[in-house]
Amino acid sequence: MNIPRDPAPADPLEPLLSRLSVGTKYLREPAPPPEDLRRMAAAALRAPDHAGLVPYRFAVVRGEARQRLADLFESVALAQGKPAEQARRDRGRATEPPLLVAVVARIDAGHPVATVHEQWIALGGALANFLTAAHALGYGGKMLSGSKVRAEAVMSAFCRPGETLVGWMVLGTPVGVGQPKFHKPSPDELLGEWPG
């Protein structure tokens, strides 16, 4: 039996055009398993990257490591003078998301070819590809940072010499359909002709 094919293929840009940031309170299990995380990382590696430096890496925080990160977040919050209630909320930032992935920058300020800003752009492109791949695979997520990223105890827990902690992606299965949080300009507002 011949089944008629849809003459119009699916829009190949749909994952790019429909991705939204999904916060922790809208994420549930299941989190992406290792094989999907590898595919997301493979997508990250396809971002433009002058000189092929790969000026970033990802650190997956799952299982018991989430409790250790929660302990660290809470102790840092208390050391920063936050009240106990706020420190407990900071603790939850490690345990509430189904999965966290730390984003670590490895910028080579003395590279003879790729400038620092090009390396940061490569990291941003990789981050965008990672989150778009997550969306294309049926997951949701967003990037988070905040004052914890700059806390010495947190940075040293994630960073090797010469590295910078950028923040964390929270990932899981989205609950419901989200809406854009911010109004963005139309494509026509972004595109302009250079007069030469």
Side-chain angles (χ1 to χ4, degrees):
M1 177 168 118
N2 287 338
I3 298 173
R5 295 180 66 190
D6 183 354
D11 182 356
L13 294 183
E14 192 279 331
L16 287 168
L17 298 175
S18 63
R19 195 205 75 79
L20 300 169
S21 290
V22 181
T24 298
K25 67 181 179 178
Y26 300 107
L27 295 174
R28 300 290 179 267
E29 295 286 351
E35 58 272 18
D36 285 345
L37 288 170
R38 281 192 293 276
R39 294 186 74 198
M40 293 172 208
L45 288 166
R46 303 310 301 162
D49 180 3
H50 192 185
L53 295 181
V54 188
Y56 51 86
R57 65 181 177 85
F58 306 112
V60 179
V61 182
R62 66 175 144 219
E64 291 181 14
R66 292 170 66 206
Q67 291 301 322
R68 291 191 293 276
L69 184 59
D71 293 343
L72 180 59
F73 280 179
E74 185 175 27
S75 68
V76 165
L78 292 170
Q80 291 174 338
K82 292 183 180 178
E85 182 180 326
Q86 178 62 50
R88 281 191 299 277
R89 279 199 298 272
D90 280 9
R91 178 181 190 81
R93 296 185 197 289
T95 57
E96 291 165 5
L99 183 73
L100 293 95
V101 178
V103 180
V104 179
R106 305 185 300 185
I107 306 299
D108 180 356
H111 195 274
V113 176
T115 63
V116 168
H117 78 271
E118 289 174 316
Q119 293 174 57
W120 280 110
I121 289 168
L123 184 152
L127 176 60
N129 279 9
F130 194 107
L131 285 169
T132 301
H135 173 67
L137 292 170
Y139 303 105
K142 72 184 291 186
M143 184 69 193
L144 299 173
S145 57
S147 64
K148 288 181 288 305
V149 169
R150 296 178 297 278
E152 183 61 40
V154 178
M155 287 190 294
S156 64
F158 283 93
C159 296
R160 301 169 188 151
E163 293 183 334
T164 304
L165 182 59
V166 178
W168 297 268
M169 290 180 278
V170 292
L171 295 166
T173 299
V175 176
V177 178
Q179 296 295 320
K181 185 175 179 180
F182 302 104
H183 171 75
K184 299 276 184 103
S186 72
D188 291 333
E189 293 175 81
L190 296 182
L191 291 168
E193 298 289 331
W194 183 59

